[in-house]
Structures are given as structure tokens and as C-alpha cells.
Amino acid sequence: MNSSFINEVIAAIESREIKAYYQPQYDANTGRLVSAEALVRWEKANGEIVSPDSFIPELEKTEAINLLDWFMAEEVCRTIHELGEAAVPIAVNFSRWHIRERDFSRKLNSLLSTYGIQPRMFEVEITESAMAAVEFSIIQEWAYNVADIGVSIAIDDFGAGFTSLQFVKDLPVNFLKIDKAFLADNCQDDRGRGTLETVFFFANKLNLSTIAEGVETIEQLKFMQNMDCDRVQGYLFSKPLKKEDFLVIALMDNQPTVDDDNFLKKQGTF
Ligand code: C2E
Ligand code: MG
Ligand code: MG
Ligand code: MG
């Protein structure tokens, strides 16, 4: 373990160089903003913006990641609180260490109450590979505790790790977040398309909502619409945004639109 690097990250959290960015998620059919994912960014003093791939894997080797994830969770609670009536549910990525954090759900529940956040506004993302690293009975207890406080669980990067049907069948999971690698080639060949169609068939059978991440093209969006995918997220719609920019989008989206009849009447336009 490189402890000086970890200390540097901890210092960056304290000095607020580490920030939560927000990537909007849209209803695949109506195009409405329905939720978002919080993604960490390190804004260095020299203006450089560092992506998580260059520090999360190192941090994840130790429990130091917990500090960062709880920091993100608190930032998200603040944002939801600030949005008030215009808030949408926001997902936070948690690493595998949290599955073994004995009081995870109690801690999350008390964080939510501190900010007066309804549990349905907060979503926990955990990757399939994180789950595969822990004994099933432990994951099960953890997941039921999370579900008990009313927070949703999404399996992130679904299909890319060690997909176990047991994760989906025997855990209180709400969302399958299909790994973006599947989208990259879905439109190109029959095997890719077939795999995706099977995942959606399976999700629908089990009443799970679906999220497609990494949607970059119109072709991929159309495919997701045909699959009845619930939410779409990707560069086609928006990159992860600074908090200020996300607040604007969330506040604007929850205003009535000009083509809304009632709105025009209320405005006395005719
Ligand atoms: P992830 O949770 O699977 O997040 C999705 C990644 O896809 C993000 O990368 C996002 O910026 C990127 N992405 C979004 N739209 C597109 C697109 O259209 N095309 C492509 N190619 N990529 C897209 P990012 O932000 O670099 O994060 C990488 C990973 O780092 C995340 O993958 C997640 O596993 C981890 N991570 C990010 N923030 C946190 C955090 O606060 N805590 C923990 N434990 N892990 C985090
Ligand atoms: Mg994620
Ligand atoms: Mg993912
Ligand atoms: Mg990933």
C-alpha cells in the first residue's frame, strides 16, 4: 500500500479538491431527467481534473476508500436537500469494503435523516465484481439491511464481471445497470444484440428496472428504447457535470415546459 498517496487523497477530500460531479439519467422514452449518478473528480490546484480511474483502484486496495465514498454520500445528500422539490434520486458508487461495513445501513440511514432526505431519493450502486469478492450470505444480509431502510440497490457494470444469477434472484436488487462494454458492440453483430436482448428479457421477468450506461449514439438510444430500457445515461445526453451545472438542469427540468397547455393558460398567454 502506498500510504503517502492515500494521505494525499485524504488531504484532497479535506481541502475540497475532491468533488462530486453528476451525470444525468433520462427516461429512455420521455427524455425527462429522472435521476443522476454521482461520480468523483479530483480538481487539482493547477486546474487539472483527475478521473477516478487514476486513483480509485489504488484507494480501493484499502479501506481508505470508505472515507471517499462516505464523503460522496454526504455531498449527494446536500445536493438532494438543496434541490428540494426539484430533486431526483441520485446514485452513489460504493466499493466492496462497504459490504463488510457492519453498520453500513444504520450509518446511511442516519446520514439521510440528518439531511431530511427520503430514502427513495438515494440509490446505492455496487458492482457485480465487488459482490463476487464477498461471501454470498454476507452480501445478502447487507442488501436486505439496505432494502429495509428504503434505499434502492443497483448492480453496476452488470454482465462484465462474474455474473451470478443468484445475485439477482436472491437479493433485493432494484436496478440492473448494464455495462457499457455491451453497448459498444450491440449494434454491430447478432451475438452482441442477442446477449443484450436476453439481459432485458431476464430483467423484465424479474421486475427489475434497467439502466443503460455509456449511451453515445442515436442507434444505441433507439436500441434501448426498443428493449424498453428504463433509464439512459451517457455522452449522447450529457457528460458528468459540475454540481452547479447539474443544479441548473434539475431545476429547469422540473419546471413546466412552454408546450404544456396548462402552463400557458396559467401564464395567461391565451
Ligand atoms: P461507473 O460507476 O461504471 O461509472 C460510469 C463511468 O462511465 C464513468 O466514468 C462515466 O464518466 C463514464 N461514462 C459516462 N457516460 C459515458 C459514455 O457515454 N461513454 C463512455 N465511454 N463512458 C461514459 P468515471 O467517472 O471515470 O468513473 C469510473 C469508475 O470509477 C466508475 O465506473 C466507478 O466504478 C468508479 N467511481 C467513480 N466515482 C466513484 C466513487 O465516488 N466511489 C467509488 N467507490 N467509485 C467511484
Ligand atoms: Mg456506477
Ligand atoms: Mg458502470
Ligand atoms: Mg465501471
Side-chain angles (χ1 to χ4, degrees):
M1 172 187 62
N2 182 342
S3 64
S4 73
F5 174 74
I6 287 169
N7 289 335
E8 204 189 322
V9 177
I10 293 171
I13 294 174
E14 283 164 1
S15 67
R16 304 278 157 169
E17 276 186 9
I18 290 206
K19 294 202 158 72
Y21 275 43
Y22 298 87
Q23 189 173 32
Q25 295 176 338
Y26 295 93
D27 179 304
N29 291 299
T30 66
R32 264 196 97 93
L33 175 79
V34 283
S35 45
E37 176 179 14
L39 294 158
V40 68
R41 293 291 181 272
W42 187 346
E43 292 182 354
K44 295 254 170 121
N46 64 8
E48 185 196 356
I49 298 177
V50 184
S51 280
D53 283 339
S54 61
F55 59 96
I56 292 277
E58 187 63 28
L59 218 56
E60 266 184 341
K61 289 182 189 159
T62 74
E63 291 184 54
I65 186 74
N66 287 3
L67 203 68
L68 179 124
D69 290 343
W70 282 115
F71 165 79
M72 293 290 286
E74 184 155 8
E75 285 297 298
V76 163
C77 287
R78 281 206 183 93
T79 298
I80 295 172
H81 179 79
E82 281 169 40
L83 279 168
E85 297 276 289
V88 289
I90 302 181
V92 173
N93 291 282
F94 285 97
S95 85
R96 69 191 163 90
W97 292 96
H98 297 282
I99 302 176
R100 292 191 182 277
E101 211 178 342
R102 280 314 257 173
D103 56 351
F104 179 81
S105 57
R106 194 197 49 75
K107 205 166 154 183
L108 181 54
N109 201 25
S110 84
L111 184 65
L112 296 172
S113 358
T114 303
Y115 287 89
I117 308 289
Q118 290 180 23
R120 63 178 179 79
M121 301 308 283
F122 195 99
E123 296 172 0
V124 166
E125 279 192 20
I126 188 106
T127 64
E128 187 179 79
S129 349
M131 288 180 161
V134 181
E135 252 169 86
F136 188 73
S137 61
I138 295 179
I139 305 172
Q140 205 168 23
E141 192 186 340
W142 175 86
Y144 275 96
N145 286 337
V146 172
D148 275 351
I149 63 168
V151 164
S152 311
I153 301 175
I155 302 189
D156 200 359
D157 299 348
F158 184 77
F162 305 86
T163 307
S164 160
L165 298 185
Q166 194 184 23
F167 289 163
V168 188
K169 184 175 87 60
D170 295 333
L171 295 177
V173 166
N174 309 81
F175 297 98
L176 287 191
K177 204 167 175 187
I178 295 133
D179 192 74
K180 54 182 176 295
F182 288 96
L183 265 78
D185 39 49
N186 80 69
C187 301
Q188 328 294 348
D189 69 271
D190 289 347
R191 290 179 73 88
R193 261 196 302 274
T195 309
L196 269 176
E197 284 166 5
T198 308
V199 171
F200 281 102
F201 177 77
F202 168 69
N204 290 338
K205 277 278 177 209
L206 295 178
N207 264 325
L208 295 164
S209 299
T210 43
I211 307 174
E213 63 174 15
V215 178
E216 293 180 355
T217 66
I218 298 276
E219 207 180 12
Q220 290 169 337
L221 170 63
K222 285 185 179 161
F223 184 88
M224 291 305 149
Q225 289 173 326
N226 284 335
M227 290 291 105
D228 260 336
C229 181
D230 297 289
R231 301 178 183 175
V232 285
Q233 170 186 355
Y235 299 154
L236 181 63
F237 319 100
S238 171
K239 61 185 198 313
L241 302 169
K242 280 177 186 288
K243 177 177 173 175
E244 299 72 33
D245 297 333
F246 174 68
L247 288 180
V248 171
I249 287 193
L251 288 163
M252 294 298 284
D253 196 86
N254 283 346
Q255 298 302 317
T257 51
V258 275
D259 54 40
D260 179 334
D261 267 7
N262 286 327
F263 176 69
L264 291 176
K265 277 175 202 144
K266 269 186 251 153
Q267 298 298 302
T269 318
F270 53 88

